[in-house]
């Protein structure tokens, strides 16, 4: 990986604005970190809070959450540290990390991959199979599974990335579909077909088994989410990340400037695939098993929905989108099973009993009314308030 | 010998289904650059509307002509759905391909979920008309009649589409639009009307496939559309968007590969073989689809 470092030194200096266009020309903070806030007055005001403060606070909050007995009525069924709530939060966090890894491709490079589920599923299935067939403990199976998923991403990425645009979407979709068919067809009765595989409890460390240890599962999921988000954010601030953004803005121009986009795209594809397969292992442990649902094309589509819902290519967007989506997906089912729901007329009850219907329509509405997703909302609200203030009488 | 004939007939039947879905997809994609994920939803709408008509509507009940009524009802419902989707969802996002794809993705998740919410996730048995019951002896093989019906319908649709594209004024606009949309617009022709038309035609073909797919599979399920859609995508990529005949040939080729590989090797390998063919086509044939669309989306 030293070629990107050395070749990308030039764009880091003067050429970057030329590659990225107007978007890249935003002023940078003295530390050299990319300024993703709007330039001007707001940028100077924001400089008082160090850039690491918000992520650090988020990590501390995440880590301390299982010690809280705070009940959040309406949002969660029990107090924050009840096993059910922690389990839901752990699932949300696994998907937050996974969505961030998908955003590396979709939001940061502009690569439309419809096969991300394959790498997530390979992580989960490789680990489960290694444990089932070779009786390897989780600590040994997990790194092997992640290595396998990463290698698969490298190989298939090397083939798929020879085409781009819609053709890339199609070829990744087709590879993922092949994987999905393979899993469902259950060769040699290994993958369990529609039933899936369950986690072998005796091969997992005791601290990760049982309802009493849900907090540990939560911490595992949180660690994965922090790792995935941290890796993507860090990579984005490196010279390689700058080339990635250049590729999203104008791939041909990057090529004209003398950088071959292919290795950069392949690097991103491999990193995203590796992070996804790590997420697969985390998912296997957190949910205690894996089913073919995570191999399907719809699963990748839900990832796309999560990322676009939160805001593609932003820091917090994929995390927020994934947490919101997963939370709603689970909670809407609970709402549909509640007593008050039974009294609704049948015409209302039928659509509302399907979380996917609500989420799909919410997503469609989002595309029209809030392009840019949740992450763009504060800026949009701020702009709207500023516009109103300018139009109305002066505040003093 | 009879096995080969049976496999050929079944492959043709499946190819007919693929063609009905892929022809619309390929027209829409060629003209509008929209990768229409909602196409599977039209299929679901068509299948369920035909089933609903056969249960609830008097003219569509029964085995004989009633079946025709049910299929017509299903197709009409799917066409209306496609028309509305184009008008309400696709048109406001004109020129923004990525958002258009996102909207169709949202619809492709929402519509099957809605159908599942109303009629449940269990497969519903599709009424089988007398004409599609039993088998016909062809070269010593007992070929199910519904396969032959499917092939006949697909051939009729192929003929109709070819006539539309080659002999009508709108067909000319569509062909020219696929070739160079900007030029057609510059000549003062409103391409958006052609968009709506093409979307409605695609929806009609897809919902017809949904209604007849009920015959092929014997049941309708909410997720039937999605699994067929993926193979239709593969057909579109292999066949290209330039000609409807190419789409028909690719449909039959994909279905044949699938049927024969599934029968003579391990079940499931046929589906994977199709994927391998797709990868080979994409990687060797750099022209056509791949280079043309590379810059438009992404």
């Amino acid at each position: 990986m030293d070629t990107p470092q050395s070749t990308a030194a030039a764009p880091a200096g003067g050429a970057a604005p030329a590659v990225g266009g107007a978007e890249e020309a935003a002023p940078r903070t003295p530390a050299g970190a990319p300024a993703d806030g709007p330039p001007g007055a707001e940028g100077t005001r924001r400089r008082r809070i160090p850039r690491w403060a918000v992520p650090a606070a988020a990590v501390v909050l995440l880590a301390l959450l299982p010690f809280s007995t705070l009940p959040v009525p309406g949002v969660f069924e029990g107090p924050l540290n009840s096993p059910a709530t922690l389990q839901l939060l752990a699932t949300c966090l696994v998907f937050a990390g996974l969505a961030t890894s998908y955003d590396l491709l979709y939001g940061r490079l502009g690569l439309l991959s419809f096969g991300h589920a394959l790498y997530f599923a390979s992580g989960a299935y490789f680990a489960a199979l290694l444990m089932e067939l070779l009786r390897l403990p989780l600590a040994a199976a997990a790194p092997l599974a992640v290595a396998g998923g990463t290698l698969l991403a490298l190989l298939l990425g090397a083939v798929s990335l020879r085409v781009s645009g819609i053709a890339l979407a199609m070829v990744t979709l087709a590879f993922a579909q092949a994987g999905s068919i393979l899993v469902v067809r259950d060769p040699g009765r290994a993958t369990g077909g529609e039933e899936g595989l369950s986690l072998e409890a005796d091969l997992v460390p005791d601290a990760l088994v049982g309802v009493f240890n849900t907090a540990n599962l939560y911490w595992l999921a949180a660690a994965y989410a922090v790792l995935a988000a941290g890796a993507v954010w860090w990579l984005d601030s490196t010279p390689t990340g700058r080339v990635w953004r250049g590729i999203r803005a104008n791939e041909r121009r990057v090529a004209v400037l003398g950088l071959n986009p292919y290795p950069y795209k392949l690097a991103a594809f491999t990193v995203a695939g590796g992070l996804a397969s790590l997420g697969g292992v985390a998912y296997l442990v957190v949910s205690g098993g894996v089913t073919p649902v995570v191999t399907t094309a719809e699963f990748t589509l839900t990832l796309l929905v999560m990322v676009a819902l939160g805001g593609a290519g932003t820091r917090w967007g994929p995390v927020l989108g994934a947490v919101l989506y997963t939370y709603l997906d689970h909670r809407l089912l609970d709402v549909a099973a509640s007593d008050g729901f039974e009294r609704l007329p049948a015409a209302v009850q039928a659509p509302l009993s399907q979380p996917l219907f609500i989420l799909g329509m919410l997503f469609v509405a989002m595309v029209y009314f809030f392009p840019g997703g949740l992450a763009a909302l504060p800026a949009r609200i701020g702009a709207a308030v500023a516009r109103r203030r300018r139009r109305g009488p002066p505040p003093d | 010998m009879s096995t080969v004939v049976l496999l050929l007939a079944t492959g043709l039947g499946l190819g007919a289904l693929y063609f009905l879905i892929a022809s619309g997809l390929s027209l829409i994609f060629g003209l509008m650059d929209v990768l229409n994920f909602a196409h599977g939803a039209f299929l679901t709408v068509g299948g369920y509307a035909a089933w609903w008509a056969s249960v609830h509507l008097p003219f569509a009940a029964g085995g004989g002509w009633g079946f025709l009524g049910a299929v017509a009802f299903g197709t009409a419902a799917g066409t209306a759905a496609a028309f509305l989707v184009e008008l309400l969802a696709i048109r406001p996002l004109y020129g923004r391909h990525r958002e258009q794809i996102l909207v169709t993705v949202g619809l492709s998740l929402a519509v099957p979920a809605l159908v599942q919410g109303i009629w449940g996730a269990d497969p519903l048995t599709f009424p089988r008309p007398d004409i599609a019951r039993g088998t016909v002896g062809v070269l010593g093989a007992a070929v199910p009649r519904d396969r032959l019906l499917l092939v006949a319908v697909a051939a009729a649709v192929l003929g109709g589409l070819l006539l539309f594209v080659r002999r009508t004024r709108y067909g000319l606009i569509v062909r020219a639009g696929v070739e160079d949309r900007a030029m057609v617009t510059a000549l003062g022709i409103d391409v958006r009307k052609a968009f709506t038309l093409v979307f409605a035609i695609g929806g009609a073909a897809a919902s017809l496939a949904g209604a007849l797919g009920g015959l092929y599979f014997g049941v309708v399920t909410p997720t039937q559309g999605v699994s067929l859609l993926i193979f239709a995508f593969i057909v579109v990529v292999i066949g290209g968007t330039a000609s409807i005949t190419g789409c028909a040939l690719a449909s039959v080729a994909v279905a044949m590969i699938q049927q024969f590989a599934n029968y003579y090797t391990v079940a499931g390998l046929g589906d994977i073989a199709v994927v391998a063919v797709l990868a080979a086509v994409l990687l060797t044939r750099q022209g056509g689809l791949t280079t043309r669309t590379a810059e438009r989306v992404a």
Side-chain angles (χ1 to χ4, degrees):
Chain A
M1 280 304 283
D2 50 13
T3 14
Q5 295 291 334
S6 54
T7 46
V19 175
E23 189 188 2
E24 284 290 302
R28 296 184 183 285
T29 49
D36 55 7
E42 211 169 342
T44 41
R45 208 190 316 141
R46 218 176 253 183
R47 221 170 274 169
R48 281 182 211 150
I49 311 169
R51 282 185 62 80
W52 49 264
V54 177
V59 168
V60 170
L61 203 69
L62 271 182
L64 295 182
L65 192 132
F67 296 113
S68 161
T69 52
L70 188 73
V72 192
V75 181
F76 295 113
E77 298 248 294
L80 274 180
N81 67 347
S82 69
T85 305
L86 284 177
Q87 180 77 34
L88 174 57
L89 286 173
T91 314
C92 287
L93 286 169
V94 169
F95 285 122
L98 180 64
T100 311
S101 78
Y102 186 68
D103 185 55
L104 176 63
L105 295 177
Y106 175 73
R108 288 173 202 269
L109 266 99
L111 297 178
L112 199 55
S113 159
F114 281 116
H116 209 58
L118 178 63
Y119 310 108
F120 182 72
S122 4
Y125 269 99
F126 283 160
L129 283 174
L130 284 170
M131 290 163 79
E132 187 189 271
L133 300 177
L134 301 179
R135 310 299 301 170
L136 287 180
L138 178 70
L144 283 175
V146 173
T150 314
L151 196 66
L152 191 69
L154 179 68
L155 286 176
L156 294 185
V159 177
S160 331
L161 286 170
R162 291 188 52 186
V163 294
S164 51
I166 292 295
L168 174 70
M170 291 294 91
V171 78
T172 48
L173 176 70
F175 281 141
Q177 186 64 17
S180 177
I181 292 165
L182 195 69
V183 166
V184 173
R185 296 285 169 154
D186 199 5
R189 303 215 167 271
T191 61
E194 298 283 352
E195 305 273 305
L197 293 171
S198 57
L199 193 64
E200 306 264 329
D202 50 327
L203 295 171
V204 179
D206 288 339
L208 293 174
V209 180
V211 179
F212 292 114
N213 291 319
T214 313
N216 294 337
L217 292 179
Y218 166 83
W219 275 315
L220 183 83
Y224 166 66
V226 168
L227 179 79
V232 171
W233 294 355
W234 172 72
L235 282 171
D236 192 52
S237 67
T238 61
T240 311
R242 242 160 265 156
V243 179
W244 284 346
R245 266 178 286 157
I247 290 174
R248 182 181 67 174
N250 191 339
E251 182 173 343
R252 193 168 291 172
R253 190 135 184 200
V254 170
V256 168
L257 285 171
L259 293 172
N260 181 6
Y262 180 79
Y264 287 94
K265 291 201 279 186
L266 186 56
F269 201 89
T270 314
V271 170
L275 286 175
S277 45
L278 185 62
V281 177
Y283 177 80
L284 175 74
V285 177
V286 165
S287 62
V290 58
T291 59
V293 173
V294 299
T295 67
T296 55
E298 291 104 277
F299 186 73
T300 308
L301 292 184
T302 56
L303 285 182
L304 179 63
V305 170
M306 287 175 192
V307 169
L309 195 66
T314 58
R315 273 195 157 208
W316 294 100
V319 174
L320 288 177
V323 169
L324 182 72
Y325 184 98
T326 318
Y327 170 78
L328 285 179
D329 197 22
H330 280 76
R331 284 295 291 174
L332 288 173
L333 268 184
D334 295 345
V335 172
S338 63
D339 298 335
F341 195 77
E342 294 286 311
R343 270 176 258 129
L344 287 172
V348 182
Q349 205 175 336
L352 291 188
S353 66
Q354 297 292 325
L356 210 51
F357 173 74
I358 301 174
L359 286 166
M361 293 323 282
L362 181 73
F363 176 64
V364 170
M366 195 90 190
V367 172
Y368 286 110
F369 303 115
F370 307 106
L374 290 176
L377 273 186
R380 286 171 68 92
I381 293 169
V385 169
R387 226 177 340 193
R388 176 161 292 183
R389 216 175 267 166
R390 235 177 296 143
R391 222 181 287 144
D396 55 310
Chain B
M1 181 62 199
S2 67
T3 319
V4 174
V5 172
L6 187 61
L7 281 175
L8 278 175
T10 312
L12 270 179
L14 190 62
L17 264 187
Y18 286 163
F19 171 72
L20 287 177
I21 310 165
S23 56
L25 266 183
S26 132
L27 272 178
I28 292 170
F29 182 58
L31 184 67
M32 309 164 67
D33 287 338
V34 177
L35 194 64
N36 185 18
F37 275 90
H39 221 67
F42 302 152
L43 193 115
T44 308
V45 168
Y48 272 83
W51 170 84
W52 184 84
S54 73
V55 174
H56 290 97
L57 297 182
F59 72 85
W65 290 105
F67 176 72
L68 209 62
V71 169
F73 184 83
T75 311
T79 313
F83 179 74
L84 288 177
V85 164
E86 204 282 333
L87 215 60
L88 301 177
I90 305 290
R91 184 162 288 193
L93 298 171
Y94 177 61
R96 288 154 64 192
H97 301 306
R98 190 156 272 204
E99 276 83 359
Q100 287 176 333
I101 293 178
L102 291 182
V103 163
T104 61
V105 164
L107 288 174
S108 79
L109 296 175
V111 171
L114 178 64
V115 166
Q116 190 173 331
I118 298 172
W119 287 291
D122 297 331
L124 300 171
T125 26
F126 201 76
R128 194 168 278 273
D130 301 331
I131 187 173
R133 215 168 271 169
T135 56
V136 182
V138 180
L139 294 173
V143 177
R145 284 186 185 203
D146 53 0
R147 309 287 191 269
L148 300 177
L149 186 71
L150 264 173
V151 174
V153 170
V157 169
L158 171 65
L161 278 177
L162 281 178
L163 274 181
F164 163 74
V165 168
R166 291 193 183 155
R167 302 272 174 210
T168 63
R169 183 181 149 72
Y170 267 104
L172 187 69
I173 295 175
V174 168
R175 258 191 306 155
V178 171
E179 207 65 38
D180 188 343
R181 193 178 49 218
M183 191 65 209
V184 176
T185 319
L187 288 171
I189 295 165
D190 189 3
V191 199
R192 281 176 299 174
K193 268 185 203 155
F195 285 179
T196 315
L197 186 66
V198 159
F199 229 85
I201 291 175
S207 47
L208 186 61
L212 295 176
L215 269 190
Y216 185 90
F217 298 108
V219 290
V220 283
T221 63
T223 52
Q224 220 163 35
V226 183
S227 47
L228 281 172
L229 184 68
I230 289 170
F231 286 105
F233 275 143
I234 294 176
V235 166
V236 171
V237 176
I238 292 178
T241 54
S243 81
I244 293 174
T245 332
C247 181
L249 289 177
S251 311
V252 174
V254 165
M256 287 296 176
I257 294 171
Q258 222 177 338
Q259 288 294 327
F260 276 88
N262 270 343
Y263 184 81
Y264 284 109
T265 62
V266 191
L269 202 68
D271 306 7
I272 293 167
V274 169
V275 172
V277 170
L278 169 78
V281 166
L282 272 177
L283 297 175
T284 52
R285 201 199 51 163
Q286 284 285 334
L289 183 87
T290 50
T291 46
R292 207 177 67 82
T293 54
E295 52 208 282
R296 291 209 183 151
V297 181

